[in-house]
Amino acid sequence: MKDLPQPSRAELDLSRILRALSDPTRRSILRALVDGPRPCSAFEVDIAKSTLSQHLKALREAGLTHTRVDGRHHITTLRAEDVETRFPGLLRAAGIPGTSQADSQ
C-alpha cells in the first residue's frame, strides 16, 4: 500500500480548498465520503471515469481527501478532522453535513 501525495495539515491552503469546493460534483463526492472511505468505483456520479479521476485529484491536492493505493484500488477518505482543525466549520458551511466538531457532540 502507498499513499498518494497530499498536503500536510499545516500546508492546507484556504484558497485552494475553496476552489476545490466550488464545484458541485466535488461537493457531492465529499458528501459521499462522510459515510467512510470508498474506492473510486463506488462513487455514484454521472461523469466519465477520467473526469472523476480529475475531481478526486483536485480534492486530494487541495487537502480535502486522502487517497491510499492498495493494489489496483484507490481508496479515498475525507480529511474532515484536518480541515476542521485548520478551518473550523468550513466543510459544514460548504454543505458537507456531519463534518464539524459540533456534529460529533
Side-chain angles (χ1 to χ4, degrees):
M1 284 189 269
K2 73 173 188 171
D3 296 332
L4 294 180
Q6 64 183 1
S8 69
R9 180 184 286 182
E11 295 172 323
L12 294 179
D13 178 67
L14 183 59
S15 60
R16 197 165 201 184
I17 287 174
L18 291 174
R19 195 170 342 162
L21 288 171
S22 70
D23 186 279
T25 300
R26 292 183 192 140
R27 287 192 308 273
S28 74
I29 291 169
L30 293 175
R31 281 190 292 275
L33 289 171
V34 168
D35 294 332
R38 289 181 179 230
C40 293
S41 59
F43 290 102
E44 296 178 17
V45 289
D46 193 25
I47 55 176
K49 287 181 183 181
S50 59
T51 305
L52 174 60
S53 292
Q54 289 302 311
H55 283 300
L56 290 169
K57 180 181 179 184
L59 291 168
R60 179 177 45 82
E61 289 180 345
L64 291 164
T65 61
H66 172 266
T67 303
R68 177 176 42 90
V69 179
D70 186 7
R72 293 182 13 205
H73 302 282
H74 288 66
I75 310 299
T76 303
T77 305
L78 178 62
R79 291 180 61 190
E81 184 179 330
D82 288 341
V83 177
E84 181 66 21
T85 298
R86 289 274 289 142
F87 308 108
L90 178 64
L91 290 176
R92 182 146 177 91
I96 316 302
T99 53
S100 71
Q101 290 177 349
D103 293 339
S104 302
Q105 299 174 358

